């Protein structure tokens, strides 16, 4: 996963169609360097990189800490 304030590049075993809306939650790893984050966005590109894997590029439209998102 490659994450920035406006985008996300991830690998997935399923193909996602361009312009489909997504909602994701990024959870911290063992080092807990990054806080838990909830995000919404849309797929801008999906490339097949192997027989069973796709590289998905997403434009993020909303990013919140998971704590703030769960208070709604």
């Amino acid at each position: 996963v490659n994450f920035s304030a406006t985008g996300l590049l991830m690998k997935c075993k399923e193909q996602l169609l361009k312009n489909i809306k997504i909602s994701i939650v990024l959870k911290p790893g063992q080092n807990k360097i990054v806080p838990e984050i909830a995000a919404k966005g849309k797929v801008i590109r999906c490339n097949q990189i192997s027989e069973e894997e796709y590289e998905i590029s997403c434009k993020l439209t909303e990013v919140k800490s998971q704590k703030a998102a769960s208070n709604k």
Side-chain angles (χ1 to χ4, degrees):
V1 174
N2 185 339
F3 176 74
S4 73
T6 60
L8 173 70
L9 179 66
M10 62 182 175
K11 293 182 181 176
C12 185
K13 292 186 179 191
E14 296 180 30
Q15 182 179 14
L16 299 179
L17 299 175
K18 185 177 179 179
N19 293 321
I20 197 164
K21 292 182 180 180
I22 61 161
S23 294
I24 61 165
V25 175
L26 299 174
K27 297 191 177 218
Q30 290 180 350
N31 295 332
K32 300 192 189 297
I33 295 171
V34 177
E36 193 165 320
I37 296 169
K40 293 181 181 181
K42 70 176 184 175
V43 174
I44 57 171
R45 185 174 55 248
C46 179
N47 296 323
Q48 188 168 8
I49 56 175
S50 72
E51 191 172 309
E52 298 179 1
E53 195 169 43
Y54 295 87
E55 187 174 73
I56 314 290
S57 297
C58 303
K59 177 173 178 58
L60 299 179
T61 57
E62 185 179 331
V63 179
K64 297 181 180 180
S65 73
Q66 182 58 24
K67 186 175 181 180
S70 64
N71 288 337
K72 283 192 163 188

